[in-house]
Short mmCIF file of all heavy atoms in Angstrom, two decimals:
data_model
loop_
_atom_site.label_atom_id
_atom_site.label_comp_id
_atom_site.label_asym_id
_atom_site.label_seq_id
_atom_site.Cartn_x
_atom_site.Cartn_y
_atom_site.Cartn_z
N MET A 133 142.96 -141.79 -245.85
CA MET A 133 142.54 -142.97 -245.09
C MET A 133 142.67 -144.23 -245.94
O MET A 133 143.05 -145.29 -245.45
CB MET A 133 141.10 -142.81 -244.57
CG MET A 133 140.90 -141.70 -243.53
SD MET A 133 141.97 -141.81 -242.07
CE MET A 133 141.29 -143.26 -241.24
N GLY A 136 146.39 -145.59 -246.13
CA GLY A 136 146.80 -146.51 -245.07
C GLY A 136 148.07 -146.18 -244.30
O GLY A 136 148.45 -146.93 -243.41
N TRP A 138 148.48 -144.21 -242.01
CA TRP A 138 148.10 -144.07 -240.60
C TRP A 138 148.18 -145.38 -239.84
O TRP A 138 148.29 -145.39 -238.62
CB TRP A 138 146.69 -143.48 -240.49
CG TRP A 138 145.65 -144.25 -241.26
CD1 TRP A 138 145.31 -144.08 -242.58
CD2 TRP A 138 144.82 -145.32 -240.79
NE1 TRP A 138 144.32 -144.96 -242.94
CE2 TRP A 138 144.00 -145.74 -241.87
CE3 TRP A 138 144.69 -145.95 -239.55
CZ2 TRP A 138 143.07 -146.77 -241.75
CZ3 TRP A 138 143.75 -146.98 -239.42
CH2 TRP A 138 142.96 -147.38 -240.52
N GLN A 139 148.13 -146.50 -240.58
CA GLN A 139 148.16 -147.78 -239.88
C GLN A 139 149.51 -148.10 -239.23
O GLN A 139 149.60 -148.96 -238.36
CB GLN A 139 147.78 -148.91 -240.84
CG GLN A 139 146.31 -148.90 -241.14
CD GLN A 139 145.96 -149.98 -242.14
OE1 GLN A 139 146.18 -149.82 -243.33
NE2 GLN A 139 145.45 -151.08 -241.65
N LYS A 142 151.00 -147.01 -234.39
CA LYS A 142 150.34 -147.96 -233.48
C LYS A 142 149.86 -147.31 -232.18
O LYS A 142 149.02 -147.86 -231.49
CB LYS A 142 151.31 -149.11 -233.12
CG LYS A 142 151.86 -149.87 -234.32
CD LYS A 142 150.76 -150.64 -235.05
CE LYS A 142 151.33 -151.48 -236.19
NZ LYS A 142 150.34 -151.70 -237.28
N VAL A 144 148.45 -144.30 -231.88
CA VAL A 144 147.31 -143.39 -232.00
C VAL A 144 146.07 -144.19 -232.33
O VAL A 144 146.13 -145.20 -233.02
CB VAL A 144 147.49 -142.25 -233.04
CG1 VAL A 144 148.59 -141.31 -232.67
CG2 VAL A 144 147.68 -142.80 -234.44
N ASN A 145 144.97 -143.71 -231.79
CA ASN A 145 143.70 -144.36 -231.98
C ASN A 145 142.82 -143.34 -232.72
O ASN A 145 142.40 -142.34 -232.12
CB ASN A 145 143.14 -144.67 -230.59
CG ASN A 145 142.10 -145.74 -230.61
OD1 ASN A 145 141.87 -146.38 -231.64
ND2 ASN A 145 141.44 -145.93 -229.48
N ILE A 146 142.58 -143.56 -234.00
CA ILE A 146 141.80 -142.59 -234.76
C ILE A 146 140.32 -142.89 -234.54
O ILE A 146 139.81 -143.94 -234.93
CB ILE A 146 142.14 -142.63 -236.26
CG1 ILE A 146 143.66 -142.44 -236.47
CG2 ILE A 146 141.37 -141.55 -237.01
CD1 ILE A 146 144.09 -142.45 -237.93
N ILE A 176 134.02 -143.67 -244.75
CA ILE A 176 135.27 -144.23 -244.21
C ILE A 176 134.95 -145.48 -243.40
O ILE A 176 135.62 -146.50 -243.51
CB ILE A 176 136.02 -143.17 -243.38
CG1 ILE A 176 136.54 -142.06 -244.31
CG2 ILE A 176 137.18 -143.81 -242.59
CD1 ILE A 176 137.13 -140.85 -243.61
N LYS A 177 133.89 -145.40 -242.62
CA LYS A 177 133.52 -146.55 -241.79
C LYS A 177 133.13 -147.77 -242.63
O LYS A 177 133.56 -148.88 -242.34
CB LYS A 177 132.35 -146.15 -240.89
CG LYS A 177 131.89 -147.27 -239.98
CD LYS A 177 131.00 -146.76 -238.89
CE LYS A 177 129.65 -147.42 -238.95
NZ LYS A 177 128.69 -146.77 -238.08
N ASP A 178 132.36 -147.54 -243.68
CA ASP A 178 131.82 -148.68 -244.44
C ASP A 178 132.76 -149.17 -245.53
O ASP A 178 132.76 -150.34 -245.87
CB ASP A 178 130.48 -148.29 -245.09
CG ASP A 178 129.42 -147.98 -244.04
OD1 ASP A 178 129.61 -148.41 -242.89
OD2 ASP A 178 128.45 -147.28 -244.37
N ARG A 179 133.55 -148.27 -246.08
CA ARG A 179 134.34 -148.67 -247.25
C ARG A 179 135.84 -148.78 -246.97
O ARG A 179 136.51 -149.65 -247.51
CB ARG A 179 134.13 -147.68 -248.39
CG ARG A 179 132.69 -147.60 -248.84
CD ARG A 179 132.59 -147.49 -250.35
NE ARG A 179 133.51 -146.51 -250.92
CZ ARG A 179 133.15 -145.35 -251.42
NH1 ARG A 179 131.90 -145.01 -251.45
NH2 ARG A 179 134.04 -144.53 -251.93
N VAL A 180 136.36 -147.89 -246.14
CA VAL A 180 137.81 -147.87 -245.96
C VAL A 180 138.25 -148.79 -244.82
O VAL A 180 139.13 -149.63 -245.00
CB VAL A 180 138.32 -146.44 -245.69
CG1 VAL A 180 139.84 -146.43 -245.54
CG2 VAL A 180 137.88 -145.49 -246.80
N LEU A 181 137.63 -148.64 -243.67
CA LEU A 181 138.11 -149.39 -242.50
C LEU A 181 137.99 -150.91 -242.64
O LEU A 181 138.91 -151.62 -242.25
CB LEU A 181 137.43 -148.88 -241.23
CG LEU A 181 137.72 -147.40 -240.91
CD1 LEU A 181 137.01 -146.99 -239.64
CD2 LEU A 181 139.21 -147.13 -240.81
N PRO A 182 136.89 -151.42 -243.21
CA PRO A 182 136.82 -152.88 -243.34
C PRO A 182 137.98 -153.44 -244.18
O PRO A 182 138.53 -154.49 -243.89
CB PRO A 182 135.48 -153.10 -244.06
CG PRO A 182 134.67 -151.91 -243.72
CD PRO A 182 135.65 -150.77 -243.65
N GLN A 183 138.38 -152.68 -245.21
CA GLN A 183 139.46 -153.14 -246.07
C GLN A 183 140.83 -153.01 -245.43
O GLN A 183 141.77 -153.72 -245.78
CB GLN A 183 139.45 -152.37 -247.39
CG GLN A 183 138.39 -152.93 -248.33
CD GLN A 183 138.12 -152.02 -249.50
OE1 GLN A 183 139.01 -151.27 -249.91
NE2 GLN A 183 136.93 -152.08 -250.03
N SER A 184 140.94 -152.06 -244.53
CA SER A 184 142.25 -151.88 -243.90
C SER A 184 142.39 -152.79 -242.69
O SER A 184 143.42 -152.81 -242.04
CB SER A 184 142.44 -150.42 -243.51
OG SER A 184 141.50 -150.07 -242.53
N GLY A 185 141.35 -153.54 -242.41
CA GLY A 185 141.43 -154.58 -241.39
C GLY A 185 141.58 -154.07 -239.98
O GLY A 185 142.15 -154.74 -239.13
N GLY A 186 141.09 -152.90 -239.71
CA GLY A 186 141.17 -152.46 -238.31
C GLY A 186 140.65 -151.07 -238.11
O GLY A 186 140.39 -150.33 -239.06
N GLY A 187 140.47 -150.73 -236.87
CA GLY A 187 140.09 -149.36 -236.53
C GLY A 187 138.59 -149.12 -236.49
O GLY A 187 138.14 -148.06 -236.11
N LYS A 188 137.82 -150.12 -236.86
CA LYS A 188 136.39 -149.88 -236.98
C LYS A 188 135.71 -149.69 -235.62
O LYS A 188 134.75 -148.93 -235.50
CB LYS A 188 135.73 -151.02 -237.75
CG LYS A 188 134.50 -150.55 -238.49
CD LYS A 188 133.87 -151.61 -239.36
CE LYS A 188 132.48 -151.13 -239.78
NZ LYS A 188 131.80 -152.05 -240.65
N GLU A 189 136.23 -150.36 -234.61
CA GLU A 189 135.60 -150.25 -233.28
C GLU A 189 135.80 -148.85 -232.71
O GLU A 189 134.91 -148.28 -232.08
CB GLU A 189 136.21 -151.25 -232.28
CG GLU A 189 136.27 -152.70 -232.71
CD GLU A 189 137.31 -152.96 -233.80
OE1 GLU A 189 138.44 -152.44 -233.66
OE2 GLU A 189 137.00 -153.64 -234.79
N ALA A 190 136.98 -148.30 -232.97
CA ALA A 190 137.28 -146.98 -232.40
C ALA A 190 136.55 -145.87 -233.14
O ALA A 190 136.30 -144.80 -232.60
CB ALA A 190 138.79 -146.74 -232.46
N TRP A 191 136.23 -146.12 -234.39
CA TRP A 191 135.69 -145.09 -235.28
C TRP A 191 134.25 -144.78 -234.92
O TRP A 191 133.32 -145.43 -235.40
CB TRP A 191 135.80 -145.59 -236.73
CG TRP A 191 135.48 -144.59 -237.78
CD1 TRP A 191 134.31 -144.48 -238.48
CD2 TRP A 191 136.34 -143.55 -238.27
NE1 TRP A 191 134.39 -143.43 -239.37
CE2 TRP A 191 135.61 -142.85 -239.27
CE3 TRP A 191 137.64 -143.13 -237.97
CZ2 TRP A 191 136.15 -141.76 -239.96
CZ3 TRP A 191 138.17 -142.04 -238.65
CH2 TRP A 191 137.44 -141.38 -239.63
#
Side-chain angles (χ1 to χ4, degrees):
M133 294 305 290
W138 55 273
Q139 286 177 282
K142 303 293 184 208
V144 295
N145 200 9
I146 305 181
I176 292 171
K177 180 166 120 191
D178 296 341
R179 300 220 314 251
V180 181
L181 298 180
Q183 281 167 28
S184 64
K188 209 175 167 179
E189 308 72 45
W191 189 259

